[in-house]
Amino acid sequence: MEPAEVEFLAEKELVTIVPNFSLDRIHLIGGDLGPFNPGLPVEVPVWLAINLKQRQKCRLIPPEWMDVGKLEEIRDQERKEDTFTPMPSPYYMELTKLLLNYASDNIPRADEIRTLVKDTWDTRMAKLRLSADSFVRQQEAHAKLDNLTLMEINTAGTFLTQALDHMYKLRTNLQPGEGSHSQEF
Amino acid sequence: MSEAYFPVGPGLGMEENFLSLDDILMSQEKLPGRAESALPRLAVLMGQGASSAESVPEGSKLEIPLWLAKGLHDSKRRIISVELPKIYKEAWRTVFSADANVVDLHKMGPYYYGFGSQLLNFENPENPEIAQTILQATGVAVLPVSDSVCSPQTFVARFRRIMDSSQNAYNEDTSALVARLDELERALFQVGQKGLNDFQCWEKGQASQITASSLVQNYGKRKLTEVDG
């Protein structure tokens, strides 16, 4: 899976926008949206919010968690704990990137938010490497990673599963009597 | 292009994958052995005689490729006996358990893991130790087979280093990093690099830009005469 595909999934998340046009309720596969009234906040998927924003038809209201104080708290919590802490959104990385790229004029202190989210990401990736290391060292066969987001899993996932696959094969070599022998003549 | 191409990967077990190019190259590697019985009219092939009538005498030392050794090996009919290559012998196994990271597996291999796994076909009494060492080199300790005390710290070292170097080296020259990795580890390193690169490209916004396919770029412009011919 590519990061763009993860982003595609993230674009289904809902954000609040303030439109500057009026439109009746629209019926889409997967849910009805609207009605849109100028100046009244309404929830729409991220893909629509970005499209409307690019056409200058709305103002975007940043998600509640996209706030310097809250993100600092999350970052410090992440650094303190050994395991992964719950993230404010399952797509925090994707949403930060999308919203900051297309609507940074609607988000206060956008640069600080970008830095904080990147710091949190780096902390979590370092933690992921560390836990993969001890997972391998302690000869585990399963692990529980509840609070890891899809983008994080996707970045290191192929590498990890392939490495574990190699190790599994090398480990089963040790069990005698398994697998057929070479051809008999 | 690479998404539409599904090469057969190496088997990495007691049996290789029949159509895997890596496994075919791996099974070409030579193995020291000895002829347990005379092999008539084969001296020319083994480079030991001049005329095609000469036979390989019993007990002569041979260097045979793995695929041939596998075919001729039989625990009942003793045609040839196979010896361990020196990197799978005890002296080297000790080096691996001391610190797997210092070994240049590309020079030793380059198919260290695959070849080692294939060696288990020859019912060598040291089989459990060999399998154990191969595993340790990748980073997993299973059961302590012999009494030799190995610290798990060293087993993990190689895995950790591949992971760290593949996930941290962005936009760097990686040739120094992969120089000492065996083919299997190199493939793993590439996978780790791809994950990192894809993510960085996405973050910079390059993923959303449409670029010409590398296939089209490679074609270049053809002259009219070439198209006609």
Side-chain angles (χ1 to χ4, degrees):
Chain A
M1 195 144 127
E2 282 181 27
E5 293 169 86
V6 181
E7 187 185 85
F8 179 79
L9 297 176
E11 283 173 352
K12 284 190 193 142
E13 291 284 294
L14 295 177
V15 286
T16 310
I17 58 164
V18 181
N20 57 14
F21 61 96
S22 47
L23 186 71
D24 270 346
R25 208 171 165 74
I26 50 172
H27 306 285
L28 302 180
I29 301 178
D32 294 350
L33 298 175
F36 299 88
N37 289 310
L40 284 185
V42 59
E43 277 207 329
V44 294
V46 172
W47 57 266
L48 185 61
I50 287 173
N51 186 278
L52 290 175
K53 174 77 190 163
Q54 284 178 323
R55 284 151 53 188
Q56 301 186 343
K57 288 199 177 295
C58 75
R59 180 165 60 84
L60 207 130
I61 296 180
E64 209 185 313
W65 54 267
M66 208 175 273
D67 168 74
V68 172
K70 286 204 177 98
L71 286 172
E72 266 170 358
E73 211 171 283
I74 288 166
R75 181 196 60 187
D76 295 341
Q77 182 72 7
E78 188 68 53
R79 283 184 181 164
K80 223 183 321 165
E81 301 231 354
D82 285 337
T83 52
F84 297 95
T85 53
M87 281 290 112
S89 156
Y91 299 104
Y92 73 98
M93 197 66 194
E94 298 89 315
L95 291 185
T96 311
K97 188 215 154 193
L98 285 171
L99 300 187
L100 290 184
N101 275 7
Y102 294 104
S104 56
D105 50 337
N106 294 153
I107 298 167
R109 302 162 85 182
D111 284 339
E112 281 168 72
I113 287 172
R114 206 187 288 267
T115 317
L116 282 170
V117 169
K118 187 75 188 134
D119 278 354
T120 315
W121 168 272
D122 286 342
T123 316
R124 286 167 72 86
M125 288 313 272
K127 222 185 248 187
L128 181 60
R129 272 200 286 278
L130 199 72
S131 49
D133 185 37
S134 62
F135 175 81
V136 163
R137 188 172 11 196
Q138 288 162 17
Q139 313 144 40
E140 300 288 350
H142 56 87
K144 193 170 152 182
L145 296 161
D146 280 346
N147 295 319
L148 221 52
T149 67
L150 182 56
M151 188 57 99
E152 290 157 348
I153 294 172
N154 191 53
T155 307
T158 329
F159 174 81
L160 203 57
T161 47
Q162 199 160 331
L164 293 177
D165 191 35
H166 289 328
M167 283 169 195
Y168 171 74
K169 281 185 189 162
L170 291 175
R171 183 151 37 171
T172 42
N173 278 349
L174 277 172
Q175 279 136 31
E178 213 187 317
S180 54
H181 287 271
S182 59
Q183 323 158 37
E184 304 266 339
F185 292 108
Chain B
M1 252 284 265
S2 61
E3 287 113 56
Y5 172 57
F6 302 102
V8 179
L12 193 69
M14 293 281 270
E15 283 304 312
E16 63 253 86
N17 281 345
F18 187 74
L19 290 174
S20 161
L21 291 179
D22 270 330
D23 273 351
I24 293 173
L25 288 176
M26 180 269 290
S27 67
Q28 300 259 35
E29 304 251 331
K30 296 281 175 56
L31 204 56
R34 242 154 45 88
E36 292 287 324
S37 53
L39 307 170
R41 294 201 299 275
L42 285 177
V44 179
L45 296 182
M46 300 300 180
Q48 289 172 339
S51 81
S52 59
E54 272 181 67
S55 63
V56 175
E58 186 183 333
S60 53
K61 285 203 166 174
L62 305 169
E63 286 267 300
I64 24 184
L66 174 72
W67 58 268
L68 186 58
K70 250 180 109 178
L72 292 177
H73 178 79
D74 190 333
S75 51
K76 282 159 272 167
R77 283 163 55 198
R78 315 230 350 127
I79 305 172
I80 53 156
S81 67
V82 171
E83 281 159 33
L84 284 180
K86 72 170 191 301
I87 52 161
Y88 298 98
K89 280 191 181 157
E90 194 173 355
W92 270 100
R93 293 207 301 266
T94 319
V95 174
F96 278 106
S97 56
D99 188 357
N101 263 318
V102 301
V103 187
D104 184 346
L105 276 192
H106 192 74
K107 215 172 83 192
M108 298 291 155
Y111 299 98
Y112 174 79
Y113 301 109
F115 197 72
S117 303
Q118 288 292 305
L119 283 179
L120 303 177
N121 282 310
F122 298 111
E123 287 145 38
N124 195 293
E126 291 174 50
N127 268 356
E129 285 89 346
I130 299 171
Q132 181 74 12
T133 312
I134 297 172
L135 201 51
Q136 281 169 10
T138 57
V140 183
V142 190
L143 307 162
V145 175
S146 56
D147 354 303
S148 65
V149 185
C150 321
S151 89
Q153 205 72 37
T154 56
F155 312 145
V156 88
R158 237 178 137 85
F159 165 78
R160 179 79 209 243
R161 219 176 53 151
I162 297 170
M163 177 167 67
D164 283 355
S165 57
S166 72
Q167 303 263 296
N168 281 328
Y170 181 59
N171 253 343
E172 266 179 47
D173 180 15
T174 52
S175 54
L177 295 172
V178 297
R180 291 151 68 87
L181 301 183
D182 110 313
E183 289 298 321
L184 189 82
E185 294 173 332
R186 282 184 185 192
L188 201 54
F189 182 89
Q190 292 308 333
V191 170
Q193 278 266 288
K194 188 180 179 302
L196 175 76
N197 282 335
D198 284 354
F199 174 75
Q200 300 280 357
C201 278
W202 169 78
E203 205 178 26
K204 287 192 292 188
Q206 283 173 356
S208 52
Q209 285 168 13
I210 298 171
T211 51
S213 138
S214 60
L215 191 69
V216 177
Q217 280 177 338
N218 287 342
Y219 272 140
K221 279 182 187 156
R222 282 181 299 179
K223 291 200 182 83
L224 203 62
T225 48
E226 279 176 55
V227 179
D228 287 341

